[in-house]
Amino acid sequence: MTEEKQPDYKKSKTKEGIPYKYVENGKYNVIPIETNYIKPNENLDKLFNKAYPLFENDDYLVIAETPISVSQGRLIDEAEYTPGLGAKFLAGFWSKYLWGYILGPLLNIKQRTIHNLRRLPPETARHKQVILDLYGWKHALKPASEAGVDLSNSPGTYVSLLPKNPQKVAEDLSKMVLDKTGKNVNVMIIDTDATYMKNGKYFTGLPTAIDGIESDKGAWGYTKGQLSRNMGSTPLGSSKKLSVEYALKIANIAEDYQKSLSTCMETIHSAKKVLNTDSAEDSISVETLNKITHTPAVIIRKRSE
């Protein structure tokens, strides 16, 4: 397994003397909640049991979308899908060649994305068929990260869909924390897929987002986004009504921390690197995923002036 690099941690204790580590990001402290792998259909107790003793009023608990989805059992086995002509066209000519060699460079998308598109494996056709069946052409035409479906943190040939009703999940979890601890904690669920801004309006290709961000724009939203300002991670649900600007700020503080970790698995290629395997599909199992430290959530706390 990849040796973990260490962010610049500082140490502190709660009023009850419980030690914890954190990093500073501007005027905020970021407290990681570390667990082993949250398994399919497993509840989130291991996450919250570690977080409960650390909460203070007005904290933000920012949770990545994948552990929520996996805990909800929103997994699809792509091995059960047979790609048709449309899926083969999308995986081959459309994504690998048209986007990898023409549209990608023309629109100045990330070099990492271009590199990954140019080396798309044959299994991508099967993935495109999943997107076509579940979300249609609007999302399948996006060259990668279609509809927020995650390949990188799921075992075997499974992929995870976005959480079901992330807004309600955020509200329910915030109420659960209040009932358990008496602390008013703002829960936010985020996805690393981008929110964009153009002419003062926010939008994302993802099927859902918080109020104020136009969602479900699919491939058109992604293409338009390349000509717009990338605002970072997308808040999918928030228990507290926030301005879009502030919600994006909190989401991006959480993403900054995740990206600082060597165990960050943004793509299937980074997952293979973290897990030290050439064949992610064959080698990523629940047992393999359980061998590394996961950070499914962070607590973000504004420091006192």
Side-chain angles (χ1 to χ4, degrees), residues 27-301:
K27 296 180 179 180
Y28 296 83
N29 291 342
V30 182
I31 304 167
I33 306 300
E34 297 175 339
T35 68
N36 55 10
Y37 181 62
I38 294 174
K39 302 176 182 65
N41 297 303
E42 180 182 15
N43 62 40
L44 298 172
D45 286 354
K46 64 176 66 173
L47 187 165
F48 280 92
N49 287 339
K50 289 197 171 186
Y52 284 141
L54 305 179
F55 284 137
E56 293 182 3
N57 278 319
D58 298 323
D59 279 347
Y60 287 87
L61 178 68
V62 184
I63 311 176
E65 91 289 350
T66 302
I68 300 289
S69 300
V70 173
S71 73
Q72 290 180 337
R74 286 178 60 76
L75 295 173
I76 297 292
D77 187 355
E78 293 193 333
E80 297 178 356
Y81 287 74
T82 300
L85 290 177
K88 292 176 182 178
F89 163 79
L90 288 169
F93 173 77
W94 182 260
S95 294
K96 187 171 186 176
Y97 295 105
L98 185 61
W99 273 94
Y101 290 92
I102 300 174
L103 294 179
L106 184 65
L107 293 171
N108 198 30
I109 67 175
K110 293 179 182 177
Q111 283 299 313
R112 183 190 71 184
T113 302
I114 291 174
H115 177 68
N116 290 340
L117 288 172
R118 290 177 178 178
R119 57 175 180 158
L120 285 175
E123 294 81 12
T124 303
R126 197 168 58 194
H127 175 70
K128 286 292 188 182
Q129 190 63 53
V130 172
I131 304 300
L132 280 171
D133 287 356
L134 297 181
Y135 297 98
W137 283 88
K138 176 169 69 173
H139 289 280
L141 283 165
K142 189 181 176 196
S145 300
E146 309 92 331
V149 175
D150 186 17
L151 295 81
S152 61
N153 286 277
S154 303
T157 55
Y158 284 86
V159 294
S160 62
L161 312 182
L162 285 183
K164 183 179 180 180
N165 201 340
Q167 178 60 38
K168 185 177 186 301
V169 172
E171 292 170 358
D172 289 348
L173 292 177
S174 180
K175 184 178 184 301
M176 183 182 75
V177 172
L178 181 63
D179 292 344
K180 183 76 173 181
T181 68
K183 302 292 175 61
N184 183 13
V185 171
N186 308 307
V187 176
M188 183 184 295
I189 299 169
I190 68 170
D191 190 294
T192 55
D193 270 23
T195 285
Y196 305 97
M197 182 181 71
K198 191 173 183 65
N199 299 325
K201 294 184 177 181
Y202 297 92
F203 63 95
T204 181
L206 289 169
T208 189
I210 62 168
D211 288 345
I213 300 175
E214 296 181 28
S215 60
D216 204 28
K217 298 300 182 182
W220 167 242
Y222 176 77
T223 305
K224 180 181 175 183
Q226 307 315 305
L227 305 173
S228 308
R229 183 179 175 188
N230 187 326
M231 305 303 292
S233 290
T234 299
L236 303 177
S238 174
S239 62
K240 181 179 180 180
K241 179 69 174 178
L242 302 172
S243 69
V244 172
E245 293 78 9
Y246 193 70
L248 288 168
K249 181 176 183 177
I250 296 298
N252 287 322
I253 290 173
E255 183 184 6
D256 286 347
Y257 176 78
Q258 293 287 358
K259 285 184 174 180
S260 74
L261 301 174
S262 63
T263 51
C264 178
M265 296 189 289
E266 286 187 279
T267 68
I268 193 65
H269 302 290
S270 56
K272 290 195 293 185
K273 182 177 180 181
V274 169
L275 298 170
N276 193 27
T277 177
D278 291 328
S279 177
E281 185 174 278
D282 295 334
S283 303
I284 294 183
S285 63
V286 169
E287 292 73 22
T288 304
L289 288 164
N290 214 27
K291 290 179 181 178
I292 66 171
T293 299
H294 295 262
T295 309
V298 297
I299 296 170
I300 296 177
R301 178 178 300 155

